[in-house]
């Protein structure tokens, strides 16, 4: 009896194990099938599908969405061809680059040439390619390249003291994007008439200089001068928007050459909250601005000593060659006298973000490096007014920075008279124009009257022990130092004044209005904040009303009404 019972139990348990194993295998098979289906679905996903499932801000920093395609096949063939490319291109590059180096040769050198130039045995690697839409008139291709070269480059330099030194350029590391433009497209083989090439973006360029058999540091400033020469030569000869044109078919391709497309007017207004770089006292800031980082195209402001909230109010003009890709860079430095200046911070504005003919007022946060996106340290802010004026659109909008804008009719007559003299007016007419122009130049002394109404202030900080304040406003024109002040409103943090003051302004585009709020005390006064305004907006709009945040305080706003009245005034004669 026990035998049969055990046999039945064994059979039941065995069958149960078999059934469980079969079901487990079926479930695992189903899971594998579902996983394979899911993986296949992910493989078919596009970048747009990925962004729909999970927004880009939720991806880790190392995930990058790119439209570039890999070029493994090109790198493979380039490695085989590189020995021949090296032999053919080295002499061509040497003969092309030497005149550019000579053009940017530093003053301390009397000669700068190559004594040896080979590209080395390591071929560059193309890490990606992308095609850019070009409106049907051409095809634009961008190739991303990385090159850790073992080139053999030796510069034969001679100083003005007669010292000859062989300087080796070694450990070259380069990462950048080259742009190829096939334009115009034609119905003849190979389908395009010319090719333009340029260095679209220079992400990294590192190299070391070493005197063969010596130390380059024995001549002070030599290493820095040669490095600056190399960088300037690359920037001016091949970096976008500069491009080299290679004709494929006979024809005139002058329209493909680099040409200015407009001007960028920049008013450097002020900066605030700059990081202090000095151990004793405060930094002495100045600004460097450029669209293309070449010495002759870089602008520098004056130095404001011992001030972390400098006011410059300086105007600069830049030539724009490609508003779609170029940007304005601002670098703020601390002047260290005879020592090299120390960078406080930098910022940039893309020109494609500017609306042609419209002044843009911007505050830019300073960062340590424009290539580092996650810089959370506060280094201060810089205030700019920007106006992009494309060529050929002068009659469509008004340029407030133009020399004849906001001129009185008398000043325009004066300017036209001077132009007539310069253009070759002759005889009695020219003499009369000169006399008339000289007389009117002496008589015209102002450009307009600025009317400022101080309306009210809101949420001012308490300055008294009782939690109140006795505020009043001081208005100052920076250039003329003309001042006016409102009445005192006692025991109030939201005062209302409604007082109007008029200022005679000689140069509206280069003057500034400074509005300071003070707390009146019996034995003195306490500073409560200020706002600084340029006159560009009121000259353009005629008049406006706005609220302005107060700087130098925790809270507070000041509401003002500004009105500009162009008005010639003459000396009493």
């Amino acid at each position: 009896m026990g035998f049969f019972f055990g046999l039945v139990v064994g059979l039941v348990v065995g069958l149960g194990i078999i059934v469980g194993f079969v079901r487990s295998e079926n479930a695992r098979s189903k899971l594998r099938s579902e996983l394979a289906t899911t993986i296949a679905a992910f493989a078919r996903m596009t970048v747009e599908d990925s962004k729909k499932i999970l927004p880009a801000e939720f991806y880790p920093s190392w995930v990058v969405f790119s439209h570039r395609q890999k070029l493994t096949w090109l790198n493979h063939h380039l490695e085989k061809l590189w020995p021949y490319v090296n032999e053919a291109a080295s002499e061509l590059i040497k003969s092309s680059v030497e005149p550019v180096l000579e053009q940017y040769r530093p003053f301390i050198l009397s000669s700068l040439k190559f004594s040896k130039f080979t590209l080395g045995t390591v071929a560059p690697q193309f890490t990606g390619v992308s095609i850019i839409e070009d409106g049907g008139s051409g095809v634009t291709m961008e190739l991303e390249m990385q090159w850790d070269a073992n080139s053999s480059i030796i510069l034969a330099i001679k100083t003005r003291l007669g010292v000859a030194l062989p300087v080796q350029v070694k450990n070259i590391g380069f990462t950048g994007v080259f742009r190829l433009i096939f334009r115009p497209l034609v119905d003849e083989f190979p389908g395009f008439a010319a090719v333009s090439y340029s260095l679209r973006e220079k992400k990294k360029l590192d190299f070391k200089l070493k005197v063969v058999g010596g130390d380059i540091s024995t001549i002070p400033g030599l290493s820095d001068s040669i490095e600056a020469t190399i960088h300037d030569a690359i920037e001016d000869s091949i970096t976008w928007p500069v491009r080299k044109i290679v004709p494929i078919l006979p024809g005139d391709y002058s329209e493909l050459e680099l040409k200015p497309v407009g001007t960028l007017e920049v008013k450097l207004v002020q900066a605030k909250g700059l990081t202090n770089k000095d151990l004793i006292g405060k930094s002495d800031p100045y600004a460097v601005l450029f669209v293309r980082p070449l010495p002759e195209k870089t602008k520098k402001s004056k130095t404001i000593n011992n001030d972390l909230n400098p006011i410059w109010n300086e105007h600069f003009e830049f030539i724009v060659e490609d508003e779609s890709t170029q940007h304005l860079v601002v670098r703020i430095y601390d002047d260290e006298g005879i020592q090299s200046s120390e960078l406080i911070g930098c910022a940039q504005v893309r020109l494609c973000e500017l609306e042609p003919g419209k002044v843009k007022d911007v505050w830019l946060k300073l960062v340590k490096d424009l290539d580092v996106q996650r810089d959370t340290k506060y280094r201060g802010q810089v205030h700019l007014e920007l106006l992009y004026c494309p060529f050929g659109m002068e009659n469509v909008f008004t340029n407030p920075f133009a020399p004849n804008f906001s001129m009185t009719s008398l000043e325009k007559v004066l300017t036209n008279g001077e132009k007539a003299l310069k253009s070759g007016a002759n005889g009695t007419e020219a003499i009369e124009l000169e006399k008339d122009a000289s007389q009117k130049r002496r008589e015209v002394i102002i450009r307009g009257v600025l009317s400022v109404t101080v309306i009210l202030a809101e949420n001012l900080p308490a300055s008294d022990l009782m939690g109140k304040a006795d505020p009043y406003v001081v208005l100052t024109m920076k250039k003329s130092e003309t001042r006016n002040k409102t009445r005192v409103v006692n025991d109030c943090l939201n005062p209302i004044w409604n007082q109007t003051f008029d200022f005679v302004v000689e140069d509206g585009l280069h003057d500034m209005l400074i509005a300071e709020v003070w707390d009146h005390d019996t034995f003195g006064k306490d500073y409560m904040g200020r706002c600084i305004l340029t006159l560009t907006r009121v000259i353009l709009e005629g008049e406006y009303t706005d609220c302005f945040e107060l700087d130098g305080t925790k809270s507070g706003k000041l509401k003002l009404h500004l009105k500009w009245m162009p008005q010639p005034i003459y000396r009493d004669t």
Side-chain angles (χ1 to χ4, degrees):
M1 186 68 180
F3 171 76
F4 289 106
F5 178 76
L7 180 62
V8 172
V9 172
L11 289 173
V12 171
V13 172
L15 288 173
I17 293 174
I18 294 173
V19 171
F21 178 76
V22 171
R23 294 189 63 180
S24 174
E25 287 298 309
N26 289 337
R28 291 179 61 186
S29 177
K30 183 178 180 182
L31 286 175
R32 286 196 296 268
S33 177
E34 292 176 351
L35 180 61
T37 303
T38 303
I39 293 175
F42 272 107
R44 291 191 298 269
M45 284 178 57
T46 64
V47 173
E48 287 71 21
D49 295 331
S50 301
K51 292 180 178 179
K52 290 178 182 177
I53 295 175
L54 191 64
E57 59 266 22
F58 292 101
Y59 286 92
S61 59
W62 47 266
V63 175
V64 179
F65 293 105
S66 175
H67 295 288
R68 299 185 182 276
Q69 304 297 320
K70 294 183 179 180
L71 291 171
T72 306
W73 61 272
L74 179 59
N75 294 326
H76 178 71
H77 289 292
L78 185 59
E79 288 179 0
K80 295 181 178 180
L81 293 172
W82 187 248
Y84 307 99
V85 174
N86 177 30
E87 184 176 351
S90 293
E91 188 61 33
L92 177 62
I93 295 175
K94 177 182 176 181
S95 60
S96 301
V97 173
E98 271 190 346
V100 181
L101 290 177
E102 185 65 22
Q103 178 184 353
Y104 287 96
R105 173 173 51 83
F107 178 76
I108 62 174
L109 301 181
S110 61
S111 177
L112 178 60
K113 296 182 179 181
F114 291 109
S115 64
K116 184 178 181 181
F117 188 99
T118 59
L119 296 176
T121 59
V122 178
Q125 296 290 307
F126 290 97
T127 57
V129 61
S130 61
I131 305 298
I132 300 175
E133 295 294 335
D134 203 8
S137 61
V139 176
T140 301
M141 178 186 298
E142 291 192 345
L143 296 165
E144 187 169 345
M145 190 185 83
Q146 182 176 348
W147 190 26
D148 295 318
N150 63 345
S151 306
S152 179
I153 302 175
I154 298 179
L155 294 170
I157 67 172
K158 182 181 292 185
T159 67
R160 294 192 178 274
L161 299 177
V163 179
L165 295 173
V167 177
Q168 182 180 9
V169 183
K170 56 186 298 187
N171 298 337
I172 298 176
F174 173 80
T175 302
V177 178
F178 278 91
R179 170 173 284 189
L180 300 176
I181 303 176
F182 303 90
R183 183 191 298 171
L185 301 180
V186 295
D187 55 1
E188 301 179 46
F189 182 81
F192 51 89
V195 179
S196 304
Y197 66 91
S198 175
L199 177 58
R200 168 65 181 84
E201 183 180 0
K202 182 178 63 178
K203 296 183 178 180
K204 185 189 77 170
L205 177 59
D206 296 327
F207 55 86
K208 291 183 179 180
L209 300 176
K210 184 180 183 302
V211 173
V212 179
D215 186 1
I216 196 170
S217 61
T218 56
I219 303 180
L222 179 60
S223 177
D224 292 341
S225 298
I226 297 177
E227 286 187 15
T229 298
I230 294 175
H231 282 285
D232 289 344
I234 293 175
E235 185 70 32
D236 196 30
S237 61
I238 195 174
T239 303
W240 185 265
V242 178
R243 74 289 306 264
K244 301 295 184 181
I245 302 172
V246 180
I248 304 299
L249 300 175
D252 180 16
Y253 304 110
S254 58
E255 74 277 0
L256 302 178
E257 297 175 354
L258 177 65
K259 296 178 181 178
V261 296
T263 58
L264 176 66
E265 309 281 354
V266 179
K267 180 179 284 189
L268 174 66
V269 182
Q270 61 176 322
K272 65 179 181 181
L274 298 181
T275 302
N276 191 9
K277 295 293 185 178
D278 292 347
L279 296 177
I280 301 176
K282 299 178 181 178
S283 297
D284 308 316
Y286 68 90
V288 173
L289 305 91
F290 59 84
V291 173
R292 291 181 61 194
L294 293 170
E296 69 275 9
K297 297 185 179 181
T298 299
K299 311 294 184 180
K300 180 181 176 181
S301 74
K302 61 179 179 287
T303 300
I304 308 296
N305 294 322
N306 199 37
D307 196 343
L308 300 181
N309 299 283
I311 301 174
W312 289 289
N313 196 34
E314 295 186 56
H315 174 250
F316 306 99
E317 182 177 299
F318 300 91
I319 296 297
V320 177
E321 287 118 344
D322 183 11
E323 75 281 2
S324 64
T325 60
Q326 289 185 301
H327 48 262
L328 172 72
V329 176
V330 183
R331 300 184 186 273
I332 309 296
Y333 290 92
D334 175 26
D335 189 355
E336 298 290 352
I338 60 175
Q339 299 180 358
S340 60
S341 300
E342 187 173 0
L343 178 67
I344 297 176
C346 53
Q348 69 177 4
V349 179
R350 298 183 182 278
L351 302 190
C352 60
E353 298 174 355
L354 304 180
E355 182 180 344
K358 185 175 181 180
V359 176
K360 185 172 184 179
D361 188 292
V362 294
W363 280 94
L364 302 176
K365 182 181 176 182
L366 298 176
V367 296
K368 182 179 181 181
D369 191 334
L370 295 175
D371 294 328
V372 178
Q373 301 298 323
R374 298 184 179 182
D375 185 0
T376 57
K377 182 178 178 180
Y378 183 78
R379 306 174 190 278
Q381 299 181 72
V382 62
H383 183 196
L384 303 174
E385 284 184 351
L386 307 169
L387 174 65
Y388 172 55
C389 303
F391 292 146
M393 295 184 63
E394 290 81 359
N395 297 325
V396 179
F397 58 85
T398 303
N399 178 3
F401 296 101
N404 62 345
F405 180 77
S406 77
M407 295 176 68
T408 65
S409 57
L410 190 57
E411 290 175 304
K412 291 178 180 178
V413 170
L414 165 64
T415 304
N416 292 335
E418 291 176 333
K419 288 180 178 178
L421 289 171
K422 293 179 181 178
S423 63
N426 49 47
T428 306
E429 182 180 359
I431 296 174
E432 292 300 323
L433 282 171
E434 172 64 20
K435 290 181 179 179
D436 187 51
S438 299
Q439 180 66 23
K440 302 207 182 286
R441 189 186 301 111
R442 289 194 298 268
E443 292 178 346
V444 177
I445 60 173
I446 70 168
R447 287 178 182 261
V449 174
L450 176 67
S451 177
V452 182
T453 301
V454 183
I455 301 174
L456 54 84
E458 298 177 346
N459 197 26
L460 295 178
S463 298
D464 298 341
L465 295 177
M466 302 301 293
K468 295 290 185 177
D470 307 316
Y472 66 96
V473 179
V474 176
L475 301 174
T476 306
M477 297 306 300
K478 191 174 188 301
K479 293 189 72 172
S480 63
E481 298 185 352
T482 307
R483 294 188 179 184
N484 281 302
K485 68 178 182 178
T486 67
R487 65 180 180 274
V488 177
V489 179
N490 295 319
D491 298 327
C492 187
L493 299 181
N494 296 282
I496 299 176
W497 290 284
N498 280 324
Q499 289 184 259
T500 301
F501 306 93
D502 291 338
F503 296 90
V504 173
V505 181
E506 296 183 0
D507 186 1
L509 287 175
H510 299 93
D511 210 342
M512 307 178 76
L513 173 68
I514 302 175
E516 297 177 307
V517 183
W518 295 86
D519 173 38
H520 179 268
D521 289 330
T522 304
F523 300 102
K525 58 183 180 180
D526 296 323
Y527 179 73
M528 300 182 69
R530 73 177 182 182
C531 58
I532 301 174
L533 308 176
T534 67
L535 307 188
T536 308
R537 179 179 173 186
V538 70
I539 290 175
L540 279 174
E541 299 182 9
E543 62 180 307
Y544 70 91
T545 303
D546 207 344
C547 283
F548 303 94
E549 298 280 350
L550 294 177
D551 293 329
T553 183
K554 295 181 180 179
S555 63
K557 293 182 178 180
L558 186 62
K559 188 174 183 179
L560 303 174
H561 174 81
L562 279 73
K563 184 177 181 180
W564 175 255
M565 295 169 287
Q567 180 178 340
I569 298 179
Y570 309 97
R571 288 191 178 96
D572 294 331
T573 56

